[in-house]
């Protein structure tokens, strides 16, 4: 097994959901969706972000993250044409001032982890409510890598190849992030 490309992830989702009712597939199908670049400026202004990683900016504008999730992780809901879902998720978080001090924003929620982006470096982290911010777990070097791994994990679950996915992550991921990836596909 190897990491899927974003196009391969889209193709695998389309194959898996072929013939299902649109009501069922809402939030499952990843699709290209051009959001205006002005939404990045709005996001930066509303969340008081000085610099936002270009890889994240590019990919957050090009797909329907505002109504999409992988496995148990939801990016946004019901907002495919703006980044309001991302703004609101952060501003509604009680500890957003702490995140802002650390140059972090929430980009997805799941169980038990919340997914964070370090705005300047573009690194992706996971943390749980019982962790200190010093203990957040690095899970990907950037948003594109994170999406590729999440999509590959979903593919593995759908095809019952979770063990192969874990073996791949044992080679690709850091020791500190391996628990996150194992938990994602429920293999311990």
């Amino acid at each position: 097994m190897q990491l899927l490309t974003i196009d391969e992830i889209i193709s695998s989702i389309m194959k898996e959901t072929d013939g299902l009712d649109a009501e069922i597939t809402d939030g499952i199908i990843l699709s290209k969706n051009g959001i205006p670049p002005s939404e990045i400026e709005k996001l930066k202004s509303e969340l008081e972000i000085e610099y936002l990683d270009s890889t994240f900016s590019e990919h957050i504008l090009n797909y329907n993250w505002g109504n999409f999730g992988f496995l148990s992780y939801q990016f946004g809901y019901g907002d495919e044409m703006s980044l309001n879902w991302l703004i609101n998720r952060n501003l509604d978080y009680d500890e957003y001032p702490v995140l802002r001090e650390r140059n972090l924003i929430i980009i997805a929620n799941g169980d038990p982890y919340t997914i964070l982006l370090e705005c300047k470096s573009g690194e992706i982290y996971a943390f749980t409510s019982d962790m200190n911010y010093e203990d957040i777990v690095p899970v990907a070097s950037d948003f594109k890598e994170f999406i590729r791994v999440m999509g590959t994990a979903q593919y593995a679950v759908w095809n019952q190849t979770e063990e192969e996915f874990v073996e791949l992550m044992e080679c690709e991921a850091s020791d500190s992030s391996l628990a996150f990836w194992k938990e994602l596909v429920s293999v311990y």
Side-chain angles (χ1 to χ4, degrees):
M1 176 175 273
Q2 60 185 7
L3 290 181
L4 300 177
T5 66
I6 293 177
D7 287 339
E8 289 170 334
I9 292 166
I10 291 170
S11 178
S12 74
I13 293 170
M14 297 304 289
K15 180 181 175 188
E16 191 69 30
T17 60
D18 186 40
L20 295 177
D21 187 277
E23 192 172 299
I24 295 170
T25 62
D26 188 41
I28 296 174
I29 296 177
L30 179 62
S31 58
K32 291 191 177 188
N33 194 31
I35 296 173
S38 60
E39 286 293 312
I40 290 293
E41 294 309 314
K42 179 181 172 184
L43 173 75
K44 289 168 62 176
S45 174
E46 293 281 331
L47 298 182
E48 300 177 34
I49 299 169
E50 185 176 332
Y51 179 83
L52 191 60
D53 175 67
S54 61
T55 299
F56 177 76
S57 296
E58 175 189 341
H59 287 85
I60 204 74
L61 292 176
N62 288 332
Y63 298 92
N64 64 320
W65 304 112
N67 196 36
F68 183 75
F70 281 120
L71 299 169
S72 65
Y73 287 82
Q74 186 70 33
F75 290 87
Y77 182 75
D79 186 6
E80 294 185 22
M81 296 309 296
S82 77
L83 298 180
N84 290 333
W85 62 272
L86 191 53
I87 294 166
N88 293 335
R89 173 167 283 145
N90 283 277
L91 293 178
D92 291 345
Y93 181 60
D94 289 340
E95 293 186 31
Y96 180 68
V98 176
L99 291 180
R100 189 175 64 227
E101 279 180 24
R102 296 172 178 275
N103 209 25
L104 298 166
I105 60 172
I106 298 169
I107 60 168
N109 290 98
D111 185 24
Y113 293 94
T114 298
I115 307 302
L116 304 172
L117 167 79
E118 200 288 322
C119 296
K120 190 169 185 175
S121 70
E123 289 182 76
I124 306 295
Y125 295 90
F127 86 109
T128 64
S129 59
D130 60 344
M131 284 179 157
N132 293 317
Y133 289 105
E134 291 77 25
D135 300 327
I136 62 176
V137 178
V139 293
S141 62
D142 64 27
F143 189 64
K144 183 177 181 180
E145 177 186 45
F146 179 70
I147 295 312
R148 290 184 65 203
V149 179
M150 291 290 279
T152 303
Q154 180 169 282
Y155 175 86
V157 168
W158 282 346
N159 290 281
Q160 291 138 14
T161 57
E162 295 93 332
E163 292 288 340
E164 288 179 39
F165 173 78
V166 170
E167 289 170 8
L168 172 67
M169 296 317 296
E170 286 172 342
C171 296
E172 298 279 331
S174 66
D175 289 342
S176 60
S177 69
L178 193 54
F180 171 79
W181 297 117
K182 284 181 175 181
E183 189 161 342
L184 180 65
V185 295
S186 299
V187 175
Y188 301 94

